[in-house]
mmCIF file of all heavy atoms in Angstrom:
data_model
loop_
_atom_site.group_PDB
_atom_site.id
_atom_site.type_symbol
_atom_site.label_atom_id
_atom_site.label_comp_id
_atom_site.label_asym_id
_atom_site.label_seq_id
_atom_site.Cartn_x
_atom_site.Cartn_y
_atom_site.Cartn_z
ATOM 1 N N PRO B 346 -13.735 -2.401 -3.735
ATOM 2 C CA PRO B 346 -12.399 -1.844 -3.968
ATOM 3 C C PRO B 346 -11.418 -2.499 -3.001
ATOM 4 O O PRO B 346 -11.830 -3.082 -1.983
ATOM 5 C CB PRO B 346 -12.591 -0.361 -3.658
ATOM 6 C CG PRO B 346 -13.667 -0.342 -2.626
ATOM 7 C CD PRO B 346 -14.580 -1.485 -2.957
ATOM 8 N N ASP B 347 -10.132 -2.371 -3.286
ATOM 9 C CA ASP B 347 -9.123 -2.982 -2.431
ATOM 10 C C ASP B 347 -9.170 -2.444 -1.005
ATOM 11 O O ASP B 347 -8.815 -3.146 -0.059
ATOM 12 C CB ASP B 347 -7.732 -2.750 -3.023
ATOM 13 C CG ASP B 347 -7.471 -3.611 -4.247
ATOM 14 O OD1 ASP B 347 -8.240 -4.560 -4.484
ATOM 15 O OD2 ASP B 347 -6.502 -3.314 -4.975
ATOM 16 N N SER B 348 -9.611 -1.187 -0.848
ATOM 17 C CA SER B 348 -9.606 -0.559 0.474
ATOM 18 C C SER B 348 -10.507 -1.261 1.493
ATOM 19 O O SER B 348 -10.302 -1.110 2.702
ATOM 20 C CB SER B 348 -10.018 0.917 0.359
ATOM 21 O OG SER B 348 -11.308 1.024 -0.214
ATOM 22 N N VAL B 349 -11.492 -2.010 1.032
ATOM 23 C CA VAL B 349 -12.406 -2.692 1.966
ATOM 24 C C VAL B 349 -12.495 -4.194 1.721
ATOM 25 O O VAL B 349 -13.111 -4.913 2.516
ATOM 26 C CB VAL B 349 -13.834 -2.086 1.917
ATOM 27 C CG1 VAL B 349 -13.780 -0.573 2.114
ATOM 28 C CG2 VAL B 349 -14.546 -2.453 0.628
ATOM 29 N N LYS B 350 -11.891 -4.671 0.639
ATOM 30 C CA LYS B 350 -11.985 -6.094 0.297
ATOM 31 C C LYS B 350 -11.420 -6.942 1.425
ATOM 32 O O LYS B 350 -10.350 -6.659 1.957
ATOM 33 C CB LYS B 350 -11.228 -6.355 -1.005
ATOM 34 C CG LYS B 350 -11.519 -7.711 -1.641
ATOM 35 C CD LYS B 350 -10.785 -7.852 -2.972
ATOM 36 C CE LYS B 350 -11.283 -6.870 -4.000
ATOM 37 N NZ LYS B 350 -10.608 -7.043 -5.322
ATOM 38 N N GLY B 351 -12.172 -7.968 1.792
ATOM 39 C CA GLY B 351 -11.753 -8.850 2.890
ATOM 40 C C GLY B 351 -12.232 -8.379 4.250
ATOM 41 O O GLY B 351 -12.197 -9.149 5.221
ATOM 42 N N ARG B 352 -12.673 -7.133 4.367
ATOM 43 C CA ARG B 352 -13.171 -6.610 5.646
ATOM 44 C C ARG B 352 -14.678 -6.348 5.598
ATOM 45 O O ARG B 352 -15.376 -6.516 6.603
ATOM 46 C CB ARG B 352 -12.466 -5.317 6.015
ATOM 47 C CG ARG B 352 -10.968 -5.452 6.213
ATOM 48 C CD ARG B 352 -10.372 -4.156 6.785
ATOM 49 N NE ARG B 352 -10.596 -2.999 5.924
ATOM 50 C CZ ARG B 352 -11.202 -1.881 6.313
ATOM 51 N NH1 ARG B 352 -11.653 -1.767 7.552
ATOM 52 N NH2 ARG B 352 -11.341 -0.875 5.471
ATOM 53 N N PHE B 353 -15.169 -5.903 4.442
ATOM 54 C CA PHE B 353 -16.588 -5.564 4.286
ATOM 55 C C PHE B 353 -17.282 -6.632 3.446
ATOM 56 O O PHE B 353 -16.684 -7.185 2.514
ATOM 57 C CB PHE B 353 -16.763 -4.220 3.598
ATOM 58 C CG PHE B 353 -16.367 -3.023 4.414
ATOM 59 C CD1 PHE B 353 -15.668 -3.134 5.606
ATOM 60 C CD2 PHE B 353 -16.695 -1.741 3.969
ATOM 61 C CE1 PHE B 353 -15.306 -2.021 6.349
ATOM 62 C CE2 PHE B 353 -16.350 -0.613 4.704
ATOM 63 C CZ PHE B 353 -15.642 -0.760 5.891
ATOM 64 N N THR B 354 -18.540 -6.880 3.761
ATOM 65 C CA THR B 354 -19.355 -7.819 2.986
ATOM 66 C C THR B 354 -20.719 -7.210 2.711
ATOM 67 O O THR B 354 -21.438 -6.830 3.645
ATOM 68 C CB THR B 354 -19.545 -9.145 3.738
ATOM 69 O OG1 THR B 354 -18.271 -9.732 4.027
ATOM 70 C CG2 THR B 354 -20.367 -10.125 2.905
ATOM 71 N N ILE B 355 -21.045 -7.094 1.435
ATOM 72 C CA ILE B 355 -22.360 -6.610 1.032
ATOM 73 C C ILE B 355 -23.272 -7.821 0.839
ATOM 74 O O ILE B 355 -22.837 -8.875 0.344
ATOM 75 C CB ILE B 355 -22.274 -5.756 -0.249
ATOM 76 C CG1 ILE B 355 -23.620 -5.091 -0.575
ATOM 77 C CG2 ILE B 355 -21.761 -6.577 -1.427
ATOM 78 C CD1 ILE B 355 -23.537 -4.085 -1.728
ATOM 79 N N SER B 356 -24.527 -7.681 1.241
ATOM 80 C CA SER B 356 -25.498 -8.759 1.054
ATOM 81 C C SER B 356 -26.885 -8.147 0.900
ATOM 82 O O SER B 356 -27.069 -6.942 1.114
ATOM 83 C CB SER B 356 -25.463 -9.730 2.240
ATOM 84 O OG SER B 356 -25.819 -9.070 3.440
ATOM 85 N N ARG B 357 -27.833 -8.974 0.541
ATOM 86 C CA ARG B 357 -29.190 -8.487 0.356
ATOM 87 C C ARG B 357 -30.189 -9.569 0.706
ATOM 88 O O ARG B 357 -29.876 -10.763 0.636
ATOM 89 C CB ARG B 357 -29.387 -8.007 -1.086
ATOM 90 C CG ARG B 357 -29.281 -9.088 -2.138
ATOM 91 C CD ARG B 357 -29.210 -8.488 -3.543
ATOM 92 N NE ARG B 357 -30.423 -7.752 -3.887
ATOM 93 C CZ ARG B 357 -30.486 -6.849 -4.867
ATOM 94 N NH1 ARG B 357 -29.408 -6.562 -5.581
ATOM 95 N NH2 ARG B 357 -31.636 -6.239 -5.132
ATOM 96 N N ASP B 358 -31.394 -9.146 1.054
ATOM 97 C CA ASP B 358 -32.511 -10.046 1.288
ATOM 98 C C ASP B 358 -33.654 -9.528 0.418
ATOM 99 O O ASP B 358 -34.324 -8.553 0.790
ATOM 100 C CB ASP B 358 -32.893 -10.046 2.765
ATOM 101 C CG ASP B 358 -33.984 -11.054 3.102
ATOM 102 O OD1 ASP B 358 -34.774 -11.387 2.198
ATOM 103 O OD2 ASP B 358 -34.060 -11.493 4.252
ATOM 104 N N ASN B 359 -33.836 -10.147 -0.731
ATOM 105 C CA ASN B 359 -34.854 -9.663 -1.661
ATOM 106 C C ASN B 359 -36.268 -9.810 -1.095
ATOM 107 O O ASN B 359 -37.149 -9.013 -1.422
ATOM 108 C CB ASN B 359 -34.732 -10.386 -2.994
ATOM 109 C CG ASN B 359 -33.527 -9.910 -3.801
ATOM 110 O OD1 ASN B 359 -32.968 -8.835 -3.535
ATOM 111 N ND2 ASN B 359 -33.110 -10.714 -4.763
ATOM 112 N N ALA B 360 -36.491 -10.785 -0.264
ATOM 113 C CA ALA B 360 -37.810 -10.969 0.343
ATOM 114 C C ALA B 360 -38.159 -9.815 1.283
ATOM 115 O O ALA B 360 -39.327 -9.480 1.463
ATOM 116 C CB ALA B 360 -37.859 -12.286 1.093
ATOM 117 N N LYS B 361 -37.136 -9.206 1.859
ATOM 118 C CA LYS B 361 -37.343 -8.084 2.784
ATOM 119 C C LYS B 361 -37.021 -6.734 2.151
ATOM 120 O O LYS B 361 -37.080 -5.707 2.826
ATOM 121 C CB LYS B 361 -36.481 -8.270 4.035
ATOM 122 C CG LYS B 361 -36.867 -9.479 4.884
ATOM 123 C CD LYS B 361 -36.008 -9.548 6.135
ATOM 124 C CE LYS B 361 -36.429 -10.719 7.021
ATOM 125 N NZ LYS B 361 -35.589 -10.825 8.247
ATOM 126 N N SER B 362 -36.643 -6.742 0.862
ATOM 127 C CA SER B 362 -36.257 -5.495 0.172
ATOM 128 C C SER B 362 -35.200 -4.741 0.987
ATOM 129 O O SER B 362 -35.311 -3.530 1.201
ATOM 130 C CB SER B 362 -37.480 -4.606 -0.068
ATOM 131 O OG SER B 362 -38.382 -5.214 -0.954
ATOM 132 N N SER B 363 -34.212 -5.464 1.408
ATOM 133 C CA SER B 363 -33.195 -4.881 2.272
ATOM 134 C C SER B 363 -31.790 -5.193 1.785
ATOM 135 O O SER B 363 -31.512 -6.273 1.280
ATOM 136 C CB SER B 363 -33.354 -5.385 3.707
ATOM 137 O OG SER B 363 -34.547 -4.896 4.290
ATOM 138 N N LEU B 364 -30.929 -4.211 1.978
ATOM 139 C CA LEU B 364 -29.507 -4.290 1.623
ATOM 140 C C LEU B 364 -28.708 -4.153 2.909
ATOM 141 O O LEU B 364 -29.113 -3.406 3.819
ATOM 142 C CB LEU B 364 -29.160 -3.168 0.662
ATOM 143 C CG LEU B 364 -27.715 -3.041 0.195
ATOM 144 C CD1 LEU B 364 -27.374 -4.173 -0.769
ATOM 145 C CD2 LEU B 364 -27.493 -1.679 -0.481
ATOM 146 N N TYR B 365 -27.567 -4.838 2.962
ATOM 147 C CA TYR B 365 -26.749 -4.804 4.165
ATOM 148 C C TYR B 365 -25.284 -4.571 3.824
ATOM 149 O O TYR B 365 -24.828 -4.848 2.709
ATOM 150 C CB TYR B 365 -26.877 -6.129 4.933
ATOM 151 C CG TYR B 365 -28.300 -6.520 5.238
ATOM 152 C CD1 TYR B 365 -28.962 -7.478 4.457
ATOM 153 C CD2 TYR B 365 -28.992 -5.924 6.274
ATOM 154 C CE1 TYR B 365 -30.280 -7.827 4.718
ATOM 155 C CE2 TYR B 365 -30.307 -6.263 6.551
ATOM 156 C CZ TYR B 365 -30.947 -7.217 5.771
ATOM 157 O OH TYR B 365 -32.248 -7.548 6.030
ATOM 158 N N LEU B 366 -24.557 -4.055 4.815
ATOM 159 C CA LEU B 366 -23.109 -3.951 4.713
ATOM 160 C C LEU B 366 -22.519 -4.341 6.060
ATOM 161 O O LEU B 366 -22.674 -3.617 7.044
ATOM 162 C CB LEU B 366 -22.662 -2.537 4.334
ATOM 163 C CG LEU B 366 -21.157 -2.393 4.091
ATOM 164 C CD1 LEU B 366 -20.744 -3.153 2.825
ATOM 165 C CD2 LEU B 366 -20.759 -0.909 3.961
ATOM 166 N N GLN B 367 -21.883 -5.508 6.092
ATOM 167 C CA GLN B 367 -21.187 -5.967 7.289
ATOM 168 C C GLN B 367 -19.762 -5.444 7.227
ATOM 169 O O GLN B 367 -19.037 -5.726 6.269
ATOM 170 C CB GLN B 367 -21.190 -7.496 7.366
ATOM 171 C CG GLN B 367 -20.403 -8.062 8.526
ATOM 172 C CD GLN B 367 -21.047 -7.760 9.872
ATOM 173 O OE1 GLN B 367 -22.257 -7.931 10.043
ATOM 174 N NE2 GLN B 367 -20.248 -7.319 10.838
ATOM 175 N N MET B 368 -19.382 -4.674 8.237
ATOM 176 C CA MET B 368 -18.057 -4.055 8.258
ATOM 177 C C MET B 368 -17.273 -4.613 9.444
ATOM 178 O O MET B 368 -17.683 -4.434 10.604
ATOM 179 C CB MET B 368 -18.188 -2.537 8.370
ATOM 180 C CG MET B 368 -19.034 -1.932 7.256
ATOM 181 S SD MET B 368 -19.081 -0.130 7.310
ATOM 182 C CE MET B 368 -19.974 0.125 8.824
ATOM 183 N N ASN B 369 -16.189 -5.291 9.150
ATOM 184 C CA ASN B 369 -15.333 -5.871 10.182
ATOM 185 C C ASN B 369 -13.977 -5.176 10.220
ATOM 186 O O ASN B 369 -13.609 -4.477 9.269
ATOM 187 C CB ASN B 369 -15.133 -7.361 9.928
ATOM 188 C CG ASN B 369 -16.431 -8.150 9.955
ATOM 189 O OD1 ASN B 369 -17.377 -7.765 10.645
ATOM 190 N ND2 ASN B 369 -16.469 -9.231 9.199
ATOM 191 N N SER B 370 -13.265 -5.375 11.317
ATOM 192 C CA SER B 370 -11.907 -4.810 11.462
ATOM 193 C C SER B 370 -11.886 -3.341 11.080
ATOM 194 O O SER B 370 -11.039 -2.899 10.284
ATOM 195 C CB SER B 370 -10.914 -5.601 10.608
ATOM 196 O OG SER B 370 -10.925 -6.970 10.935
ATOM 197 N N LEU B 371 -12.788 -2.588 11.637
ATOM 198 C CA LEU B 371 -12.928 -1.185 11.247
ATOM 199 C C LEU B 371 -11.696 -0.365 11.623
ATOM 200 O O LEU B 371 -11.053 -0.599 12.644
ATOM 201 C CB LEU B 371 -14.186 -0.595 11.875
ATOM 202 C CG LEU B 371 -15.480 -0.989 11.140
ATOM 203 C CD1 LEU B 371 -16.703 -0.782 12.023
ATOM 204 C CD2 LEU B 371 -15.611 -0.211 9.845
ATOM 205 N N LYS B 372 -11.390 0.607 10.768
ATOM 206 C CA LYS B 372 -10.252 1.496 10.948
ATOM 207 C C LYS B 372 -10.756 2.935 11.021
ATOM 208 O O LYS B 372 -11.863 3.234 10.559
ATOM 209 C CB LYS B 372 -9.288 1.353 9.772
ATOM 210 C CG LYS B 372 -8.849 -0.063 9.451
ATOM 211 C CD LYS B 372 -8.020 -0.090 8.189
ATOM 212 C CE LYS B 372 -7.602 -1.512 7.820
ATOM 213 N NZ LYS B 372 -6.786 -1.541 6.573
ATOM 214 N N SER B 373 -9.914 3.809 11.538
ATOM 215 C CA SER B 373 -10.313 5.214 11.630
ATOM 216 C C SER B 373 -10.641 5.788 10.253
ATOM 217 O O SER B 373 -11.524 6.633 10.119
ATOM 218 C CB SER B 373 -9.211 6.036 12.304
ATOM 219 O OG SER B 373 -7.998 5.928 11.584
ATOM 220 N N GLU B 374 -9.950 5.301 9.237
ATOM 221 C CA GLU B 374 -10.198 5.813 7.879
ATOM 222 C C GLU B 374 -11.522 5.339 7.280
ATOM 223 O O GLU B 374 -11.889 5.760 6.181
ATOM 224 C CB GLU B 374 -9.035 5.474 6.939
ATOM 225 C CG GLU B 374 -8.636 4.024 6.917
ATOM 226 C CD GLU B 374 -7.444 3.744 7.810
ATOM 227 O OE1 GLU B 374 -7.399 4.261 8.955
ATOM 228 O OE2 GLU B 374 -6.550 2.979 7.370
ATOM 229 N N ASP B 375 -12.223 4.466 7.974
ATOM 230 C CA ASP B 375 -13.571 4.056 7.544
ATOM 231 C C ASP B 375 -14.637 5.029 8.047
ATOM 232 O O ASP B 375 -15.819 4.883 7.697
ATOM 233 C CB ASP B 375 -13.898 2.651 8.048
ATOM 234 C CG ASP B 375 -12.996 1.586 7.457
ATOM 235 O OD1 ASP B 375 -12.699 1.668 6.242
ATOM 236 O OD2 ASP B 375 -12.577 0.685 8.207
ATOM 237 N N THR B 376 -14.243 6.007 8.844
ATOM 238 C CA THR B 376 -15.186 7.026 9.316
ATOM 239 C C THR B 376 -15.754 7.781 8.130
ATOM 240 O O THR B 376 -15.017 8.367 7.338
ATOM 241 C CB THR B 376 -14.489 8.001 10.277
ATOM 242 O OG1 THR B 376 -14.107 7.301 11.462
ATOM 243 C CG2 THR B 376 -15.412 9.165 10.632
ATOM 244 N N ALA B 377 -17.069 7.750 8.001
ATOM 245 C CA ALA B 377 -17.724 8.357 6.839
ATOM 246 C C ALA B 377 -19.231 8.257 6.970
ATOM 247 O O ALA B 377 -19.745 7.508 7.810
ATOM 248 C CB ALA B 377 -17.292 7.647 5.552
ATOM 249 N N THR B 378 -19.911 8.988 6.121
ATOM 250 C CA THR B 378 -21.335 8.771 5.912
ATOM 251 C C THR B 378 -21.475 7.720 4.822
ATOM 252 O O THR B 378 -20.859 7.852 3.754
ATOM 253 C CB THR B 378 -22.045 10.067 5.501
ATOM 254 O OG1 THR B 378 -21.970 11.006 6.582
ATOM 255 C CG2 THR B 378 -23.507 9.801 5.167
ATOM 256 N N TYR B 379 -22.264 6.691 5.099
ATOM 257 C CA TYR B 379 -22.444 5.589 4.162
ATOM 258 C C TYR B 379 -23.816 5.712 3.510
ATOM 259 O O TYR B 379 -24.842 5.764 4.205
ATOM 260 C CB TYR B 379 -22.304 4.248 4.881
ATOM 261 C CG TYR B 379 -20.868 3.921 5.212
ATOM 262 C CD1 TYR B 379 -20.190 4.587 6.228
ATOM 263 C CD2 TYR B 379 -20.148 2.977 4.476
ATOM 264 C CE1 TYR B 379 -18.859 4.333 6.519
ATOM 265 C CE2 TYR B 379 -18.820 2.697 4.753
ATOM 266 C CZ TYR B 379 -18.188 3.386 5.769
ATOM 267 O OH TYR B 379 -16.865 3.112 6.051
ATOM 268 N N TYR B 380 -23.804 5.756 2.187
ATOM 269 C CA TYR B 380 -25.029 5.880 1.407
ATOM 270 C C TYR B 380 -25.350 4.559 0.710
ATOM 271 O O TYR B 380 -24.458 3.915 0.133
ATOM 272 C CB TYR B 380 -24.880 6.946 0.328
ATOM 273 C CG TYR B 380 -24.674 8.349 0.819
ATOM 274 C CD1 TYR B 380 -23.412 8.935 0.810
ATOM 275 C CD2 TYR B 380 -25.746 9.118 1.265
ATOM 276 C CE1 TYR B 380 -23.210 10.237 1.236
ATOM 277 C CE2 TYR B 380 -25.558 10.431 1.694
ATOM 278 C CZ TYR B 380 -24.288 10.972 1.684
ATOM 279 O OH TYR B 380 -24.105 12.271 2.109
ATOM 280 N N CYS B 381 -26.597 4.221 0.733
ATOM 281 C CA CYS B 381 -27.128 3.100 -0.031
ATOM 282 C C CYS B 381 -27.642 3.692 -1.353
ATOM 283 O O CYS B 381 -28.202 4.797 -1.369
ATOM 284 C CB CYS B 381 -28.265 2.496 0.789
ATOM 285 S SG CYS B 381 -29.453 1.482 -0.054
ATOM 286 N N ALA B 382 -27.413 2.979 -2.459
ATOM 287 C CA ALA B 382 -27.850 3.514 -3.749
ATOM 288 C C ALA B 382 -28.397 2.405 -4.635
ATOM 289 O O ALA B 382 -27.908 1.267 -4.591
ATOM 290 C CB ALA B 382 -26.690 4.217 -4.446
ATOM 291 N N ARG B 383 -29.367 2.754 -5.449
ATOM 292 C CA ARG B 383 -29.886 1.823 -6.455
ATOM 293 C C ARG B 383 -29.095 2.023 -7.725
ATOM 294 O O ARG B 383 -28.996 3.147 -8.229
ATOM 295 C CB ARG B 383 -31.370 2.082 -6.706
ATOM 296 C CG ARG B 383 -32.041 1.009 -7.530
ATOM 297 C CD ARG B 383 -33.503 1.342 -7.815
ATOM 298 N NE ARG B 383 -33.665 2.022 -9.084
ATOM 299 C CZ ARG B 383 -34.859 2.349 -9.594
ATOM 300 N NH1 ARG B 383 -35.950 2.115 -8.909
ATOM 301 N NH2 ARG B 383 -34.923 2.969 -10.769
ATOM 302 N N ALA B 384 -28.547 0.966 -8.242
ATOM 303 C CA ALA B 384 -27.693 1.049 -9.426
ATOM 304 C C ALA B 384 -28.514 0.725 -10.669
ATOM 305 O O ALA B 384 -28.825 -0.435 -10.927
ATOM 306 C CB ALA B 384 -26.516 0.105 -9.287
ATOM 307 N N ASP B 385 -28.865 1.736 -11.432
ATOM 308 C CA ASP B 385 -29.616 1.575 -12.686
ATOM 309 C C ASP B 385 -28.619 1.526 -13.839
ATOM 310 O O ASP B 385 -27.979 2.532 -14.134
ATOM 311 C CB ASP B 385 -30.569 2.756 -12.896
ATOM 312 C CG ASP B 385 -31.697 2.774 -11.881
ATOM 313 O OD1 ASP B 385 -31.568 2.105 -10.842
ATOM 314 O OD2 ASP B 385 -32.696 3.470 -12.129
ATOM 315 N N SER B 386 -28.479 0.369 -14.460
ATOM 316 C CA SER B 386 -27.527 0.218 -15.563
ATOM 317 C C SER B 386 -26.151 0.754 -15.175
ATOM 318 O O SER B 386 -25.512 1.466 -15.946
ATOM 319 C CB SER B 386 -28.028 0.945 -16.810
ATOM 320 O OG SER B 386 -29.270 0.430 -17.223
ATOM 321 N N SER B 387 -25.749 0.468 -13.964
ATOM 322 C CA SER B 387 -24.441 0.787 -13.383
ATOM 323 C C SER B 387 -24.356 2.180 -12.775
ATOM 324 O O SER B 387 -23.399 2.497 -12.086
ATOM 325 C CB SER B 387 -23.298 0.601 -14.394
ATOM 326 O OG SER B 387 -23.182 1.702 -15.261
ATOM 327 N N TYR B 388 -25.383 3.026 -12.989
ATOM 328 C CA TYR B 388 -25.328 4.368 -12.393
ATOM 329 C C TYR B 388 -26.131 4.401 -11.089
ATOM 330 O O TYR B 388 -27.166 3.767 -10.981
ATOM 331 C CB TYR B 388 -25.907 5.404 -13.365
ATOM 332 C CG TYR B 388 -25.199 5.391 -14.680
ATOM 333 C CD1 TYR B 388 -25.789 4.830 -15.805
ATOM 334 C CD2 TYR B 388 -23.910 5.900 -14.781
ATOM 335 C CE1 TYR B 388 -25.117 4.795 -17.008
ATOM 336 C CE2 TYR B 388 -23.233 5.865 -15.985
ATOM 337 C CZ TYR B 388 -23.831 5.306 -17.096
ATOM 338 O OH TYR B 388 -23.168 5.266 -18.272
ATOM 339 N N ASN B 389 -25.647 5.175 -10.124
ATOM 340 C CA ASN B 389 -26.351 5.302 -8.846
ATOM 341 C C ASN B 389 -27.478 6.313 -9.000
ATOM 342 O O ASN B 389 -27.324 7.497 -8.743
ATOM 343 C CB ASN B 389 -25.371 5.727 -7.759
ATOM 344 C CG ASN B 389 -24.299 4.685 -7.515
ATOM 345 O OD1 ASN B 389 -24.590 3.494 -7.412
ATOM 346 N ND2 ASN B 389 -23.051 5.115 -7.430
ATOM 347 N N ALA B 390 -28.628 5.795 -9.453
ATOM 348 C CA ALA B 390 -29.722 6.689 -9.829
ATOM 349 C C ALA B 390 -30.467 7.246 -8.623
ATOM 350 O O ALA B 390 -31.025 8.337 -8.695
ATOM 351 C CB ALA B 390 -30.683 5.954 -10.751
ATOM 352 N N TYR B 391 -30.542 6.478 -7.552
ATOM 353 C CA TYR B 391 -31.258 6.927 -6.351
ATOM 354 C C TYR B 391 -30.412 6.616 -5.130
ATOM 355 O O TYR B 391 -29.792 5.562 -5.055
ATOM 356 C CB TYR B 391 -32.628 6.246 -6.259
ATOM 357 C CG TYR B 391 -33.535 6.611 -7.403
ATOM 358 C CD1 TYR B 391 -33.580 5.822 -8.546
ATOM 359 C CD2 TYR B 391 -34.300 7.766 -7.357
ATOM 360 C CE1 TYR B 391 -34.390 6.165 -9.627
ATOM 361 C CE2 TYR B 391 -35.105 8.126 -8.428
ATOM 362 C CZ TYR B 391 -35.143 7.327 -9.552
ATOM 363 O OH TYR B 391 -35.939 7.683 -10.619
ATOM 364 N N TRP B 392 -30.419 7.575 -4.185
ATOM 365 C CA TRP B 392 -29.585 7.479 -2.995
ATOM 366 C C TRP B 392 -30.435 7.637 -1.746
ATOM 367 O O TRP B 392 -31.457 8.321 -1.758
ATOM 368 C CB TRP B 392 -28.535 8.596 -2.999
ATOM 369 C CG TRP B 392 -27.580 8.593 -4.138
ATOM 370 C CD1 TRP B 392 -27.879 8.719 -5.473
ATOM 371 C CD2 TRP B 392 -26.158 8.498 -4.068
ATOM 372 N NE1 TRP B 392 -26.735 8.689 -6.223
ATOM 373 C CE2 TRP B 392 -25.656 8.559 -5.394
ATOM 374 C CE3 TRP B 392 -25.245 8.364 -3.011
ATOM 375 C CZ2 TRP B 392 -24.288 8.486 -5.689
ATOM 376 C CZ3 TRP B 392 -23.888 8.308 -3.297
ATOM 377 C CH2 TRP B 392 -23.420 8.367 -4.618
ATOM 378 N N GLY B 393 -29.968 7.040 -0.670
ATOM 379 C CA GLY B 393 -30.575 7.287 0.630
ATOM 380 C C GLY B 393 -29.963 8.530 1.262
ATOM 381 O O GLY B 393 -29.076 9.156 0.686
ATOM 382 N N GLN B 394 -30.431 8.854 2.452
ATOM 383 C CA GLN B 394 -29.943 10.034 3.158
ATOM 384 C C GLN B 394 -28.599 9.794 3.824
ATOM 385 O O GLN B 394 -27.898 10.745 4.180
ATOM 386 C CB GLN B 394 -30.958 10.447 4.235
ATOM 387 C CG GLN B 394 -32.319 10.832 3.704
ATOM 388 C CD GLN B 394 -32.369 12.285 3.247
ATOM 389 O OE1 GLN B 394 -31.401 13.020 3.355
ATOM 390 N NE2 GLN B 394 -33.509 12.695 2.721
#
Side-chain angles (χ1 to χ4, degrees):
Chain B
D347 286 346
S348 59
V349 307
K350 194 177 295 182
R352 298 189 301 124
F353 290 11
T354 302
I355 188 172
S356 62
R357 65 191 297 161
D358 185 334
N359 286 342
K361 295 183 177 179
S362 295
S363 292
L364 178 72
Y365 306 101
L366 185 68
Q367 176 68 46
M368 304 185 293
N369 299 331
S370 304
L371 282 161
K372 308 174 182 180
S373 58
E374 52 262 44
D375 296 319
T376 294
T378 295
Y379 285 73
Y380 296 102
C381 160
R383 191 183 94 176
D385 292 18
S386 300
S387 81
Y388 303 105
N389 296 314
Y391 297 93
W392 299 61
Q394 298 276 358

